Each structure stands twice: as structure tokens, then as C-alpha cells.
Amino acid sequence: MASNLCSSPSSLYKRLCNISSSSSRDSKSRNLNNNFYHSSKINTLSSQSRATSLQITNVSLHDEEIPRQETSKDSKFKEKTGSSSKSYIWVNPKSSRASILRKSSYDAKYTSLVNAAKYLNSCSPNKDDVFNVLSELDGKLLEQDAVVILNNMSNPDTALLALKFFQERLKFNREVVVYNVTLKVFRKGRDLDKAEKLFDEMLERGVKPDNFTFSTIISCARLCNLADKAVEWFEKMPSFGLEPDDVTFSTMIDSYGRAGNVEKALRLYDRARTGEWRLDATTFSTLIRIYKVAGNFDGCLNVYEEMKALGVKPNLVIYNILLDAMGRAKRPWQVKKFYQDIIDSGLSPSFVTYAALLHAYGRARYGDDAFKIYKEMKEKGLGLNVVLYNSILAMCADLGHVDKAVEIFEDMKSSGIKPDSWTFSSMITIFSCCGKVSEAENTLNEMFEAGFQPNIFILTSLIQCYGKAQLIDDVVKTFNRIFELTITPDDRFCGCLLNVMTQTPNEELSKLVKCVERANPKLGIVVKLLVEEQDSGGNFKNEATDLFDSISTEVKKAYCNCLIDLCIKLNMLERACELLDLGLTLEIYTNIMSRTSTQWSLNLKSLSPGAALTALHIWMNDLSKVLEAGEQLPPLLGINTGHGKHKYSEKGLANVFESYLKELNSPFHEAPDKVGWFLTTKVAAESWLESRKSTDAVAA
């Protein structure tokens, strides 16, 4: 067996002091790989090893360990061998001198100092107890002994008393080092107030702070989630003649981001990328959060890729922020990828993870994925809050999952979560869209019992519900209720009234005309011109234009679709064509008709049934005019209705259109390899159009 004994810990302490004293001069040029992060520890190999090693490496105030004092005998060994601080002396463990050498090294004293620090952490924070513990230490205390003790402490109260003890008995060569390790104790305890008071004491004693002083206080503020304080201390540094080093700058990216100074944070990040600074996961999480809040979701992904390129391992916090960001961006495929990355990396999803997933899938209307996450949360005992329940119920309302919504609503109540107004709104919407009047009214009564009044969304849903059931008197009663509650009708509410009119028997339309006139006078004028078949003197198009100019962009297509449907219901095809033409002119509808050299198409996916039939009528007339002009049709003609169906209906536009095309005896047939497309050839189309022309001539 053999032993290696490392010497020169005191020389390391001197180098530490030199680093501290020179930090204000050359910190700008330092980087993270240049003596910033170091460690000091005893590495003891296992008993199976052939040798035992006592080794001490470099140290920094940013770490917990402090170098050990070099003894006179250690120095003699170095002088004899000419070794550096990292050289070793081989000692035969069987020699009688081996135990003496170990005792004469700094190891024995270092152990007693660490033990004293541990005792001070748990003793009473009074002067007598602390001073008694320190007075019992053997031998003469040195400056580095004070540093070792303070550096291993974690009790801010007893650390202050220990500092007083050393100040009364020692003359410090580098007192700032002793203050810095004491500040580290406050950082461990996240006590910024005591750290700031100690800084003031430093100044009163004439001790000049250095970079380590400020970086310790800044990181303490950061740990206390006091980003504004971190910024305040960072911006004090120039007044003390100090230039922040790269580590401090990197820390400030996070602090500026949390303090809301996004521009400064991003500017420092750009500097970090060019300067090869070492950034931690917390800083990257702040950067990703900044881009998320700004809506720059590609920026979130770019930071994530840069983080991985720098070798920084993403933690669960970063993944959760990314999940939320991609959910807001409605990119469920990327949400799935990041969730799989969490599983593959061995991290355990938290409640925040599942909440982000549920919100993301809910926004994207990924029903099956949302229900899977919901089930997984329930199995793991992760209770949902009212916000998460509302998110999944809103998704059910949008997708038409009635039975699933009822199941989740009942589960919510049985779990002890009280529904709020948004919960009831989603459930009433679900029942209203499928015309379940009694269920909607029961939910409304339950909402009243819970102490909530209906809002504009709930009243809109109820009008839709009564309209589907053709309970027009109840529609009018609900409409009047909105004014009793002093709620102002919005564009969507009026659009719902307009939609109800397309389903109302003609003899009851006058009841709804009065409601529409009261809710939106401009819409009332247009509707009255249609229902009462008044001759507007050619001003119908002008009135309709004024209406579309007055409403929000989001509802223009819905209004135009409903007005055309109402025209078709009232057998007013000419008015329907005027409205469709106006919709094309105002770009409410775009790309309905398209032409290539091989195919002409009619694209109806965004149109209501009435608007789609009107567009077909106009398109057929255009094709007839092409033939009359002696021009040629392309080899293929197609009508695209889309393949979807309404979420609360078994029929889609394709089903409605297929029946209508059969009534017209048209040559368009559904394409087996292109869902939602009805195709025909040039020859068949020409023959059909000619036959229609002959039929029209006979009828005339």
C-alpha cells in the first residue's frame, strides 16, 4: 500500500485572494473556464485501491469548499521535491512517519474547523455560545481558518456572530474575502436583507467590495425571486469601479427578463452567444419565457436548440414552458414531441406538465389526446382545478362531444370542484347546439342556484337552442332578458339571431325582425328588406355594404352566409346572387372559383348550404356563357365541398350537395380517390349545359 500527500493549500488561498483583488481590473476578459468555478475536496479512493490519495484542488468563493492551510512540513516536502501545488509525495503507509505526516498536514485542523462550522449552524444565535465554540479551537487561528469556518456555515445569525469573533481577534490581509464567504451564508439562507446590511457594514469599515461581493448579492436576490433587486445591485457595480464578469452578465439575462426589461435581457443574450458565456438552465428558461410572452414561438424553439448545442440539459421547467408555448401556438405535433422528450429523458411529468398538455390539446381540438391526458391525471391522483375542467369542457363544446362533456361535468362536481360561470356556459352551449332544451334549461337553473347570472355567451347559446327547437316565443323572451340584465348585444349575438331566422317558419319571421332591428339597426334594415320583400329602390346592395362595413371581420362571412341562406329560404335567388357578388367584391369570400389549363374548380368549403347553391348557380351560368362565346372548357371540371360535417349534425355540405346535384341531373359525381370532390369531364359538362339551355328555352 502507498499514500500520496498533497501540499501547498496556503498558496491556493493566496491565489484566491489575488483573483479577488484583480477582479475589478481584468474581469472583462475573464471567462467561465478561467478559474471561476473550482472545487476543494478530499478524494479518498476505495479500500480496494492500491493507493490512498489526499488531494486538494483549486477553490473559489462560488463553491462550498475552501483550501487548507499549508504547514511548515508541507513546505519542506515541496522544497525537497521541487513539486508544484499539484505534485504528490509518495509515503509508505507502513512507515512510522506516515501517521505523523498526516497529523502534521492541514487535514486534521481542517476537519476540526468544518466540525466547528456544523456545530455553529445548530447552536443558539447568541454571542456567548458562538464565542465559546470558536475559543475552544486548538492552536492559533489564521485568516484562512476563518474563511473555512464561515464558508461551511449555513446559519445567517450565528455566521454574523462568528464574523465578529474573527474581526476582534484577527488582522485580515484580505478582509473582503471573509465578508464574501459570510455573504454566501446569507445567500444559502436566501436572506437578502441581512446581505444588504452586511454590505453597508463593509463600506463603513472601509472594505472595498469586489466582483465576488456583487455576484453573491445578485445571485442571492435571484434566489429570492427579487429580479428588480438583482438589477439594482448589478447597476451599482460601475460606481465602485467594477466591470461585471461573464458569469454575472449571464445571471443578469435571467434577472432582466424576470424584471420585465426584455430588451436588455435579449441584448445580453446576443452578447452571450458571441462571447461563449456559460449559461445555465434557469437563464434559458427565462429566455424561452420571454419569447413565449412576446408570441415569438419560433424564437422559443431557436433558444431551445441553441441550449442543446451548448450542452445544457433541459430540465422539467424548460419543457413545461415549451409545452405551454407550443400549445399557445396551436402546434400539437410539437407538444407531442416535447412530451415524449420528457419521458425519454427520465423526467417525471408534474401537474404543470399535464396542465400544459391539457390546455395545448384543448386549444388544438385534439380530443382523443386531451381525453388521454385527462384519464392519466385521474389515474395518478392529480386533481384538476376549475380552469382545467373548463378547458376540456370548452373543447368538448367545440367538437360536439356531448356524452363525454356530461361525464366530465359530473366527475368535476363529484371531485368537489365547484363549477363557475364558464363551466355552466360550456355545458349550456353543448346542450344548445344539439337542441336539448330541457338539459340546457336544467343547467341554467343549476347555475342560478350556484349564484351566477347568465352572460352574453350563455344567452347566445340559449337563443340558438330555442331556435333549433323552433320555440320562437322563447327566443324572444331570452332576447328581452338581455336588456333586463343591461347586457349589450354583440356581433356574435346578432349573428345567432340571424342564424335562427334561417330555421324559423316564414309566418313567425316578423317576431325576430323586431328583435334584430333593436339589437342592430343596420342589420335590421337589411333583414326587413328581405323578409317584407320591400322594393328598396336599388339600395339593397348599399344597405348591405353599410352593414358589412360596421361589423367585425370575424363575423362578416357568417353574416353573409346567413343572409344568403335567408334569401334561398325566401326563394329570392336574385338577392342571394347580389349578396354573393358583394361578398366577393369585399373579399369576404376568396378563391371560390379557380382555373388552370387542365381543370376549372368551384371551391365551396367555407360556404353555407345556401351560399354554396348560389355559387353553383353563378358558376353554371359562367360556364354557359363560355360555351356561347365559342370558347373551350378544360378537360376536367370539379366542385370541392370538403369532406367534413358539422360537429352537431350528421350531414356535411357534401351530403347536401350530392342530393342537389342529383336533382339537377348533373354529370358531377363524387370522386372515389378525392374525398369531398365532385368531378366531370369536358364532354359530359358541355352536353349537360346544352340540355339545360334547351330545357330553359322550352320553359320560356
Side-chain angles (χ1 to χ4, degrees), residues 513-530:
V513 170
K514 294 178 182 178
C515 294
V516 173
E517 285 182 303
R518 187 178 179 187
N520 186 329
K522 289 188 176 183
L523 178 60
I525 292 173
V526 174
V527 168
K528 194 171 184 179
L529 289 174
L530 293 176

Side-chain angles (χ1 to χ4, degrees), residues 31-319:
N31 58 51
L32 290 169
N33 296 321
N34 188 19
N35 294 329
F36 196 83
Y37 285 103
H38 304 293
S39 62
S40 170
K41 51 193 169 185
I42 300 174
N43 297 324
T44 306
L45 301 180
S46 64
S47 58
Q48 288 89 4
S49 301
R50 299 210 27 108
T52 302
S53 174
L54 298 177
Q55 179 181 352
I56 301 174
T57 56
N58 294 347
V59 69
S60 163
L61 290 176
H62 288 264
D63 292 319
E64 297 291 339
E65 295 81 7
I66 289 296
R68 305 177 186 177
Q69 171 68 16
E70 178 188 45
T71 65
S72 59
K73 291 189 178 183
D74 293 333
S75 299
K76 290 178 182 179
F77 289 140
K78 185 172 71 173
E79 291 172 4
K80 290 179 181 179
T81 61
S83 64
S84 68
S85 62
K86 291 185 179 180
S87 298
Y88 299 90
I89 299 172
W90 181 85
V91 177
N92 188 343
K94 294 182 180 180
S95 170
S96 58
R97 296 180 61 196
S99 59
I100 299 173
L101 290 171
R102 289 194 187 95
K103 291 179 181 179
S104 62
S105 72
Y106 196 64
D107 296 332
K109 187 174 185 180
Y110 182 86
T111 301
S112 66
L113 296 176
V114 172
N115 290 335
K118 291 179 180 178
Y119 187 82
L120 290 172
N121 288 333
S122 58
C123 79
S124 301
N126 61 70
K127 183 177 179 180
D128 291 339
D129 287 352
V130 172
F131 278 38
N132 287 338
V133 171
L134 294 174
S135 298
E136 292 176 359
L137 291 172
D138 296 332
K140 182 181 179 182
L141 281 174
L142 303 172
E143 183 172 342
Q144 51 265 47
D145 298 340
V147 173
V148 169
I149 291 173
L150 289 168
N151 191 68
N152 282 278
M153 291 186 67
S154 57
N155 186 328
D157 296 321
T158 55
L160 274 177
L161 294 171
L163 175 63
K164 300 299 181 189
F165 177 89
F166 296 128
Q167 286 173 330
E168 291 177 7
R169 288 160 176 75
L170 298 173
K171 183 177 181 181
F172 299 114
N173 293 321
R174 289 285 295 144
E175 192 169 0
V176 67
V177 176
V178 182
Y179 271 108
N180 287 346
V181 289
T182 308
L183 287 170
K184 281 184 62 180
V185 180
F186 298 138
R187 184 178 66 184
K188 293 175 191 175
R190 302 190 179 191
D191 194 335
L192 183 61
D193 290 338
K194 283 189 172 67
E196 290 180 327
K197 290 176 182 177
L198 188 63
F199 180 85
D200 293 337
E201 180 188 307
M202 284 178 64
L203 300 183
E204 291 173 3
R205 289 176 62 91
V207 179
K208 184 180 179 181
D210 60 14
N211 265 31
F212 294 128
T213 310
F214 278 95
S215 65
T216 304
I217 296 176
I218 289 169
S219 58
C220 179
R222 185 187 183 195
L223 288 172
C224 296
N225 292 318
L226 299 173
D228 291 330
K229 276 289 186 179
V231 170
E232 177 187 325
W233 279 96
F234 174 74
E235 294 178 350
K236 283 182 181 180
M237 293 182 73
S239 64
F240 288 87
L242 298 173
E243 175 69 21
D245 56 29
D246 293 349
V247 174
T248 306
F249 271 129
S250 300
T251 301
M252 292 311 301
I253 294 175
D254 175 61
S255 298
Y256 273 115
R258 291 176 183 271
N261 194 334
V262 174
E263 182 181 352
K264 185 77 172 182
L266 295 179
R267 193 158 62 241
L268 283 177
Y269 179 54
D270 288 336
R271 182 173 174 180
R273 287 189 293 185
T274 57
E276 297 182 355
W277 300 353
R278 180 177 176 181
L279 304 177
D280 60 14
T282 303
T283 301
F284 278 111
S285 69
T286 298
L287 287 165
I288 295 172
R289 188 181 289 110
I290 287 172
Y291 282 113
K292 182 195 77 172
V293 172
N296 186 348
F297 303 115
D298 288 331
C300 296
L301 297 176
N302 291 337
V303 172
Y304 173 71
E305 293 300 328
E306 289 173 3
M307 178 188 68
K308 290 197 300 180
L310 292 171
V312 179
K313 187 177 180 180
N315 56 27
L316 189 60
V317 173
I318 288 176
Y319 278 123

